[in-house]
Amino acid sequence: MDSDRRAFSIPSKDYRRQYEPLLEEVLGAFRRVLLEEDPILGAELERFEAEFAAYLGVRHVVGLNSGTDALVLGMRALGLRPGDEVITQANTFFATVTAIEMAGARPVLADCRRGGPEIDLDQVERALTSRTRAVIVVHLHGFATPLRRLRDLCAGRGLLLIEDAAQAHGACVEDGRRAGSVGVIGAFSFHPSKNLGAFGDGGAVATEDDGIAAALRVLRNLGKSGKHELARVGPNSKLDTLQAALLRVKLRRLEEWNARRRELARAYDAQLAGLPGLELPAPLPGTEPVYHHYPVLARQRDPLVQHLAARGIKTSLHYPVPPHLQPGLAHLGYGPGSFPEAERRAAEEISLPLGHELRLDEVAAVSAAVRAFATGTRGLVRT
Ligand SMILES: *Cc1c(COP(=O)(O)O)cnc(C)c1O
């Protein structure tokens, strides 16, 4: 009975389960920071920035207050101008697209490839114009997009390559290089739901470029270049010292947690293989994914969501309405049919529960429920 109830209540996120084993260490870190440090731009923030930079293999990480600001301020630091076009993929979280506008440039979308969420390079080439200044590749779901060809394309045309690595902390794109470390800037989010999450909003830009890092340190601090000197117009967008203290504790476990996510994903792969009407995620060869999500494509997506919900299994949709069909982005001039692959994913994709805190028996219970749905023996609906 008890084990039954456990098996039939599977959350897609469980912060209590995540924080219980870390509590003493986190509280110890908070205690030290509260008693010894500056709340704003404290030494703990510098330590986290240095540690995350070392982890990624880049010279600089600049902590900001969200992943969205990492994109916006990163693009501002790159000097994009009104009229510049920035290409990104149609199947992304809409913040990738709105960030381009907030940075003052014009978003241009390109479809993802057939069979995976990675941007389709042929579609990128088709979207190029004389005004294209940058391409943002999104390592969606924690699946890294190989960048060699895109880098060559950008280098050949003088375009800036930007990585949205908000879902891909620790993923490798190729040759063991981390997502977010290859482009001129890599944008990270520390939203609580991400693989490396704060308890609140947070974000960062990773870059090799000293000038971009320096510009970001001015931009995130109201544009201040000295105590009483304003160098340019900027928002107030700093990563809090306390959040940095928490992120340092969690960064030490990121590799272990990502490995655990891969183990759980392999269990799903094995238990869901060959089911009719279901397409499993297939990270590209040579990449190392970190399974921020475990997205499957289901021909009968919405009935499957209900089937699982009736059994206490919470799933998520990433994302049911693509950016180009959102009312807030209607002015981009796209419509239904503009990006068929992105639209198919929006209609069929469902993310099964996955987090490092999940147990293998829970993955087995979810898989059994999906199998029952896919093979038509739907089992008892628990009330
Ligand atoms: C979460 C996310 C963002 C935005 O990050 P916030 O910290 O929520 O502002 C941007 N792009 C992608 C792909 C994301 O998943």
Side-chain angles (χ1 to χ4, degrees):
M1 180 70 206
D2 259 351
S3 65
D4 247 33
R5 197 179 299 135
R6 264 208 322 274
F8 283 97
S9 175
I10 300 175
S12 60
K13 276 281 166 307
D14 189 338
Y15 292 112
R16 185 187 177 108
R17 229 198 256 187
Q18 188 181 117
Y19 280 101
E20 258 169 359
L22 301 179
L23 212 50
E24 290 314 312
E25 204 176 331
V26 169
L27 293 178
F30 283 178
R31 189 184 154 79
R32 195 170 44 71
V33 168
L34 289 170
L35 296 179
E36 294 172 16
E37 291 209 9
D38 288 326
I40 307 280
L41 298 177
E44 196 73 353
L45 173 59
E46 285 171 29
R47 286 184 207 107
F48 170 69
E49 289 176 336
E51 287 167 6
F52 195 43
Y55 174 78
L56 295 173
V58 295
R59 284 171 63 80
H60 305 281
V61 161
V62 181
L64 304 166
N65 83 356
S66 70
T68 304
D69 269 5
L71 289 163
V72 175
L73 300 185
M75 282 186 269
R76 284 188 60 189
L78 291 172
L80 293 187
R81 285 183 305 270
D84 287 345
E85 293 177 357
V86 178
I87 299 174
T88 193
Q89 59 207 68
N91 63 319
T92 183
F93 180 46
F94 45 63
T96 318
V97 183
T98 57
I100 297 170
E101 277 207 5
M102 288 191 278
R106 194 181 121 68
V108 173
L109 301 181
D111 212 348
C112 56
R113 69 184 185 90
R114 204 176 174 75
E118 297 85 3
I119 195 166
D120 181 339
L121 292 195
D122 296 334
Q123 298 294 329
V124 172
E125 297 208 24
R126 220 160 291 165
L128 291 170
T129 74
S130 58
R131 296 171 155 235
T132 309
R133 283 284 313 282
V135 178
I136 306 180
V137 61
V138 185
H139 302 291
L140 201 70
H141 305 307
F143 303 157
T145 302
L147 294 179
R148 203 169 288 124
R149 218 187 115 199
L150 187 55
R151 270 172 78 200
D152 290 347
L153 180 114
C154 288
R157 293 177 178 257
L159 305 177
L160 300 161
L161 174 60
I162 297 171
E163 294 177 83
D164 181 342
Q167 302 189 0
H169 316 72
C172 291
V173 295
E174 63 230 326
D175 310 326
R177 297 185 73 179
R178 302 273 188 204
S181 75
V182 176
V184 59
I185 55 170
F188 289 87
S189 165
F190 306 124
H191 182 277
S193 66
K194 309 287 161 125
N195 289 32
L196 181 61
F199 204 79
D201 283 308
V205 168
T207 184
E208 281 291 290
D209 189 301
D210 299 348
I212 292 169
L216 280 165
R217 292 183 196 284
V218 170
L219 269 172
R220 73 173 171 183
N221 194 16
L222 306 129
K224 277 168 64 171
S225 51
K227 190 166 169 53
H228 300 293
E229 186 181 284
L230 183 77
R232 60 189 296 186
V233 174
N236 192 347
S237 177
K238 296 171 291 240
L239 182 64
D240 294 330
T241 308
L242 271 181
Q243 299 290 8
L246 170 58
L247 288 166
R248 285 188 74 210
V249 171
K250 294 175 94 174
L251 178 58
R252 287 181 214 126
R253 289 163 176 85
L254 182 60
E255 282 292 287
E256 174 197 329
W257 286 345
N258 283 342
R260 173 67 176 168
R261 283 173 182 269
R262 284 190 287 270
E263 181 188 355
L264 295 168
R266 276 197 301 275
Y268 273 132
D269 287 345
Q271 291 165 26
L272 298 175
L275 289 178
L278 203 72
E279 224 176 278
L280 302 186
L284 289 172
T287 66
E288 175 139 273
V290 291
Y291 290 96
H292 177 55
H293 304 129
Y294 188 86
V296 300
L297 297 186
R299 236 172 277 144
Q300 300 226 48
R301 197 265 309 273
D302 295 339
L304 175 59
V305 169
Q306 283 158 24
H307 170 84
L308 295 176
R311 285 154 184 78
I313 298 167
K314 289 221 173 59
T315 56
S316 311
L317 304 181
H318 302 101
Y319 300 89
V321 181
H324 71 282
L325 300 179
Q326 293 285 353
L329 287 167
H331 56 273
L332 295 182
Y334 301 113
S338 293
F339 304 104
E341 291 305 319
E343 289 169 33
R344 183 172 83 95
R345 301 194 86 81
E348 298 188 358
E349 208 168 59
I350 164 176
S351 295
L352 301 181
L354 187 67
H356 69 262
E357 2 17 69
L358 212 65
R359 299 189 311 263
L360 277 164
D361 65 294
E362 292 174 316
V363 167
V366 175
S367 298
V370 174
R371 266 202 317 273
F373 178 85
T375 57
T377 55
R378 296 186 179 197
L380 290 173
V381 176
R382 296 180 69 90
T383 49

